[in-house]
Amino acid sequence: MVERHVDHVVEEDLMSMSGEAGEALGALDSRCIAAIAGALQRSWPGSATLTPMALDLGASLDHHHAFIAAVQGLCDRGLLAYEALLIGIGGPEVRDAALTARGRAVLQNQSFRAAA
């Protein structure tokens, strides 16, 4: 339950961000970003394997596309690093994903620190 609350708070914070970081993330699916950020904050300082199903994002092709776009967008903006992106019949999988220092700074908030 705390996990879902934290993801919801992160999603609200992402939607209300101002400035360059918020505008840059605005084009991406906020639910995917919140789920990815939440999972990686919880695994910090380690890495994690991410899939749409593991993040409760759904199994539809549209959800897979949104997940891939969010991963690519976070990586392109220097917020996320990962070892491999695998796309197969079981859906996309991001292996050894971790937030960069910039990613932690942009995506971290008070509620997240309190729940960690």
Side-chain angles (χ1 to χ4, degrees), residues 21-107:
E23 291 169 13
L25 294 174
L28 302 174
D29 184 307
S30 62
R31 185 169 173 247
C32 287
I33 294 170
I36 291 167
L40 295 179
Q41 290 282 16
R42 285 187 297 278
S43 70
W44 182 261
S47 61
T49 295
L50 307 173
T51 66
M53 290 299 292
L55 298 174
D56 292 326
L57 296 174
S60 75
L61 193 55
D62 288 340
H63 291 125
H64 289 184
H65 289 172
F67 173 78
I68 293 168
V71 167
Q72 182 178 9
L74 290 169
C75 188
D76 288 350
R77 290 163 177 83
L79 306 177
L80 172 73
Y82 59 87
E83 184 67 30
L85 170 61
L86 306 172
I87 301 173
I89 196 155
E93 179 179 312
V94 179
R95 290 194 181 163
D96 295 328
L99 292 174
T100 63
R102 181 171 185 243
R104 281 187 51 87
V106 169
L107 299 172

Side-chain angles (χ1 to χ4, degrees), residues 3-17 30-31 33-38 41-42 106-109 111-112:
E3 200 171 289
R4 287 197 184 273
H5 171 70
V6 170
D7 288 345
H8 180 68
V9 170
V10 171
E11 186 174 346
E12 287 175 354
D13 286 349
L14 289 170
M15 292 190 309
S16 66
M17 280 179 145
S30 62
R31 185 169 173 247
I33 294 170
I36 291 167
Q41 290 282 16
R42 285 187 297 278
V106 169
L107 299 172
Q108 190 150 6
N109 63 63
S111 299
F112 230 93

